[in-house]
């Protein structure tokens, strides 16, 4: 199905956290929203480990609870308050046993609402925005001394500097696939979107910072890196040769790192897909054949009113150029239905665009009025029932395209990077080049390796595979092919 990329999970990998520090304590982190929050939550765990914190997935035993929040749609933001209601009960129950519990709200709701959060939910001890988590130990101390802590400064340089210092520390074991933030913030100001307000202006990390962190990750066992940014393909970083590099050049550099066999990047804006980046999809076997390139709407009128600064025809031409470079690419996107002023005809234009592009997957949402954005003040807001009906129709179309894409993989042999144990005993789950999960019966020692797998069945989201006999780590060479191809 075409559900959201929202990740809601109790985060923090216990293996990532060294049992160090004076007092042993437990932290429960819940991550909402995009992958950038997942990355931030992982870095919070790195910061907290030397303070004696280890992860728990059981909120009842947590000395510290952190909600790393998302503000993109109203539902995501409101979910935080309902979760805080539940946490209050746990905190009260712990207090009866004489145990303390600190509660922190991090991420974009924290940035957008600041003090308002502890007013609405008095159990919250500290509120800190996405650019402050590296100051967590200090903030925790302040909160422990009874202050209500609210830290929502935009200080991206200090966060990036901290990330690099962290990356320079001794090698830590990492999961086979990891995120790496290369850029934060956005200057595009799409009229529906809060990101320019919650994450601030677009800032890129330098080439050196990114390459060092990627090397560190590879040394810790990472085989696949997904570069992250709200506007990742708008990244432009200073290199030590004094030049400013774009994303294409960065990917070429990262592809040289030993052990990094797979590269991905997300999320991109159509206007920032330059020739070098498009050509990288032809040139780099490490660059996986999957591209998330949101268009939001297929109507020129709505695109203009969303301030997307491109037309549907320009988007079609872009997709053509990308597919000329790599015909095997799985296209993905984001769609918003019910943006103010969207008529039946505008919606039909979106459906028509989807039919023409043929997506491998996509995420789709009902328009949500966000305070402070121009869209929230526009006239002609679309009634909820119309949004609901359009979303269902659009998701049905995307689901059929996703099924068709997955069915076209049947019988292929492709590389799978095994990431973790599967639900059934004896099963591992890995990722295909096109980003679908692939459950395969395989021995545990293959976690962290890339193996050729034959696709023998398809589900709505997954591909089912079997290991090719005499397995070996194929080092990320095979991205797809029919059975006959020799490997
Ligand atoms: N309402 C609905 N969807 C939104 N998105 C961003 N802002 C809104 C909003 N106000 C969607 C866009 C974006 C994705 C991350 O979330 O499709 O690409
Ligand atoms: Fe939001 Fe538009 Fe920036 Fe994406 S490009 S983060 S949708 S303002």
């Amino acid at each position: 199905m075409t559900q959201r990329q929202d990740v809601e999970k109790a985060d923090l990998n216990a293996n990532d956290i060294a049992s160090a520090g004076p007092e042993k304590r437990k932290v429960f982190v819940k991550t909402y929203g995009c992958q950038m929050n997942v990355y931030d939550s992982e870095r919070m765990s790195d910061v907290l480990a030397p303070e004696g914190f280890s992860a728990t997935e059981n909120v009842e035993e947590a000395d510290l609870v952190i909600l790393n929040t998302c503000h993109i749609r109203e539902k995501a933001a409101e979910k935080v308050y309902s979760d805080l209601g539940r946490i209050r009960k746990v905190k009260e129950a712990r207090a009866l046993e004489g145990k303390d519990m600190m509660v922190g709200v991090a991420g974009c709701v924290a940035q957008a609402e600041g003090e308002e959060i502890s007013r609405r939910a008095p159990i919250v001890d500290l509120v800190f925005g996405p650019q402050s988590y590296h100051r967590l130990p200090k903030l925790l101390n302040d909160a422990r001394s009874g202050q209500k802590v609210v830290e929502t400064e935009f200080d991206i340089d200090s966060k990036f500097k901290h990330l690099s210092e962290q990356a320079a520390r001794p090698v830590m074991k990492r999961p086979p696939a990891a995120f790496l933030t290369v850029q934060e913030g956005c200057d595009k100001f799409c009229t529906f979107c809060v990101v320019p307000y919650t994450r601030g202006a677009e800032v890129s990390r330098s080439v050196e910072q990114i390459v060092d962190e990627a090397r560190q990750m590879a040394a810790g066992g990472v085989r696949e890196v997904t570069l992250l940014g709200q506007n990742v393909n708008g990244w432009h970083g200073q290199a030590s040769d004094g030049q400013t590099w774009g994303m294409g050049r960065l990917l070429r550099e990262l592809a040289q790192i030993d052990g990094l066999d797979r590269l991905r990047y997300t999320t991109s804006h159509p206007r920032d897909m330059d020739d070098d980046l498009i050509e990288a999809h032809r040139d780099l076997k490490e660059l996986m054949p999957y591209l998330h390139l949101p268009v939001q709407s297929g109507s020129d009128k709505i695109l203009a009113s969303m301030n997307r600064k491109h037309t549907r025809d320009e988007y079609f031409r872009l997709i053509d150029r990308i597919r000329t470079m790599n015909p095997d690419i799985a296209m993905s996107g984001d769609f918003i239905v019910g943006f103010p002023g969207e008529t039946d005809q505008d919606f039909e234009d979106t459906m028509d665009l989807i039919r023409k592009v043929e997506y491998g997957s996509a995420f789709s949402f009902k328009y949500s009025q966000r305070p402070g954005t121009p869209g929230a003040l526009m006239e002609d807001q679309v009634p909820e029932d119309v949004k609901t009906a359009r979303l269902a129709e659009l998701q049905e179309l995307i689901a059929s395209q996703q099924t068709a894409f997955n069915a076209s993989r049947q019988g292929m042999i492709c590389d799978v990077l095994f990431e973790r144990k599967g639900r059934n005993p004896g099963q591992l789950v890995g990722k295909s080049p096109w980003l679908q999960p692939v459950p395969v019966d395989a021995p545990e020692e293959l976690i962290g390796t890339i193996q050729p797998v034959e696709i023998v069945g398809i589900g709505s989201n997954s591909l089912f595979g079997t290991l090719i006999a005499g397995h070996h780590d194929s080092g990320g060479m095979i991205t797809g092919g029919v059975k006959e191809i020799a490997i």
Side-chain angles (χ1 to χ4, degrees):
M1 281 300 294
T2 58
Q3 297 308 315
R4 170 80 211 100
Q5 70 256 59
D6 276 0
V7 181
E8 286 192 9
K9 59 174 190 173
D11 209 37
L12 291 192
N13 183 344
N15 299 330
D16 287 350
I17 300 179
S19 53
E23 193 189 333
K24 300 249 179 288
R25 291 171 291 180
K26 298 250 187 234
V27 56
F28 171 92
V29 180
K30 180 166 175 177
T31 309
Y32 308 69
C34 66
Q35 291 98 333
M36 300 201 60
N37 270 7
V38 176
Y39 176 86
D40 282 352
S41 292
E42 284 167 3
R43 298 296 80 78
M44 282 186 218
S45 80
D46 295 345
V47 168
L48 288 171
E51 304 293 309
F53 281 100
S54 62
T56 175
E57 296 198 357
N58 175 7
V59 68
E60 275 137 36
E61 62 173 24
D63 303 289
L64 171 64
V65 171
I66 296 177
L67 305 184
N68 194 9
T69 62
C70 171
H71 201 243
I72 199 109
R73 281 168 295 275
E74 192 180 355
K75 245 196 199 158
E78 283 307 309
K79 180 90 173 50
V80 174
Y81 288 103
S82 60
D83 284 350
L84 282 171
R86 272 194 291 276
I87 291 164
R88 179 168 61 87
K89 295 207 180 88
V90 180
K91 185 168 175 161
E92 285 165 0
R94 276 179 64 97
L96 290 177
E97 294 169 26
K99 290 190 208 144
D100 211 15
M101 177 193 259
M102 295 254 254
V103 179
V105 175
C108 292
V109 175
Q111 188 68 42
E113 300 188 5
E115 278 170 27
E116 175 62 18
I117 295 176
S118 29
R119 261 198 297 275
R120 249 182 98 176
I123 58 147
V124 173
D125 303 289
L126 63 164
V127 174
F128 52 104
Q131 299 185 0
S132 315
Y133 69 74
H134 56 292
R135 282 194 281 274
L136 247 179
K138 177 184 177 305
L139 301 180
L140 280 174
N141 266 339
D142 293 349
R144 213 170 284 129
S145 69
Q147 292 176 42
K148 281 275 177 197
V149 174
V150 178
E151 174 118 341
T152 51
E153 290 297 307
F154 280 121
D155 190 1
I156 193 69
D157 290 338
S158 127
K159 173 171 173 179
F160 283 170
K161 186 164 163 276
H162 164 83
L163 284 173
S164 297
E165 285 163 8
Q166 219 169 33
R169 290 194 193 136
V171 173
M172 262 202 212
K173 179 130 181 55
R174 296 274 178 205
F179 295 129
L180 199 174
T181 292
V182 300
Q183 178 275 332
E184 272 205 41
C186 180
D187 299 336
K188 295 258 185 322
F189 289 93
C190 298
T191 52
F192 51 81
C193 186
V194 286
V195 165
Y197 312 96
T198 52
R199 290 269 176 168
E202 213 171 301
V203 183
S204 294
R205 293 176 76 188
S206 72
V207 172
E208 199 184 348
Q209 284 178 336
I210 297 165
V211 171
D212 284 352
E213 189 165 345
R215 282 216 181 93
Q216 187 75 3
M217 284 179 163
V222 172
R223 306 289 303 268
E224 172 178 305
V225 163
T226 302
L227 306 179
L228 295 182
Q230 262 94 26
N231 226 320
V232 76
N233 59 340
W235 175 87
H236 51 281
Q238 232 31 64
S240 45
D241 60 7
Q243 294 185 4
T244 303
W245 291 17
M247 183 52 85
R249 181 122 186 235
L250 178 65
L251 288 165
R252 287 169 210 274
E253 183 74 19
L254 295 175
Q256 309 282 326
I257 295 178
D258 269 354
L260 273 196
D261 297 299
R262 293 178 151 203
L263 297 171
R264 305 179 187 273
Y265 59 97
T266 196
T267 277
S268 296
H269 193 291
R271 275 169 52 85
D272 290 325
M273 288 302 295
D274 66 15
D275 287 344
D276 191 39
L277 179 53
I278 295 174
E279 283 160 19
H281 280 278
R282 174 196 60 199
D283 301 340
L284 298 178
K285 67 176 178 359
E286 291 83 0
L287 187 51
M288 292 293 100
Y290 170 92
L291 181 59
H292 184 239
L293 195 62
V295 64
Q296 315 293 355
S297 168
S299 149
D300 279 337
K301 182 190 90 187
I302 297 295
L303 285 171
S305 144
M306 286 176 164
N307 194 31
R308 295 290 291 177
K309 299 211 177 83
H310 65 80
T311 61
R312 62 186 262 128
D313 269 353
E314 282 162 346
Y315 185 75
F316 285 140
R317 281 204 295 276
L318 182 56
I319 302 279
D320 278 350
R321 279 162 58 214
I322 294 164
R323 285 194 164 140
T324 307
M325 293 298 156
N326 185 350
D328 182 44
I329 210 156
M331 288 306 305
S332 171
D334 291 346
F335 294 92
I336 295 178
V337 299
F339 187 75
E342 186 187 75
T343 60
D344 285 344
Q345 182 56 51
D346 294 318
F347 175 64
E348 188 38 52
D349 288 348
T350 301
M351 295 292 279
D352 177 67
L353 178 143
I354 295 172
R355 277 182 215 107
K356 292 197 163 102
V357 171
E358 296 185 16
Y359 288 90
S361 63
F363 306 101
S364 45
F365 318 98
K366 289 192 240 181
Y367 172 67
S368 165
Q369 272 175 284
R370 307 308 292 127
T373 60
L377 303 175
M378 286 180 187
E379 286 171 9
D380 296 332
Q381 297 287 334
V382 174
E384 195 58 28
D385 57 335
V386 175
K387 289 185 199 169
T388 305
R390 287 181 186 165
L391 187 68
E393 207 183 315
L394 187 149
Q395 290 192 335
E396 195 179 320
L397 176 58
I398 294 286
S400 71
Q401 293 192 345
Q402 184 166 354
T403 305
F405 183 87
N406 288 351
S408 71
R409 309 293 103 174
Q410 176 93 24
M412 280 187 175
I413 290 167
C414 69
D415 274 343
V416 170
L417 168 60
F418 288 114
E419 294 180 24
R420 59 190 157 84
K421 283 200 239 173
R423 219 173 296 154
N424 303 333
Q427 194 184 56
L428 300 183
V429 180
K431 237 15 122 18
S432 81
W434 313 279
L435 205 63
Q436 303 99 334
V438 190
V440 178
D441 285 337
E444 210 176 314
E445 65 265 20
L446 292 190
I447 291 179
T449 71
I450 298 174
Q451 303 293 335
V453 162
E454 182 179 343
I455 303 304
V456 294
I458 61 153
S460 52
N461 283 312
S462 331
L463 303 176
F464 300 103
T466 53
L467 270 185
I468 305 290
H471 55 73
H472 58 279
D473 194 311
S474 59
M477 301 295 284
I478 306 158
T479 57
V482 286
K483 238 188 209 172
E484 290 72 33
I485 288 179
I487 53 163

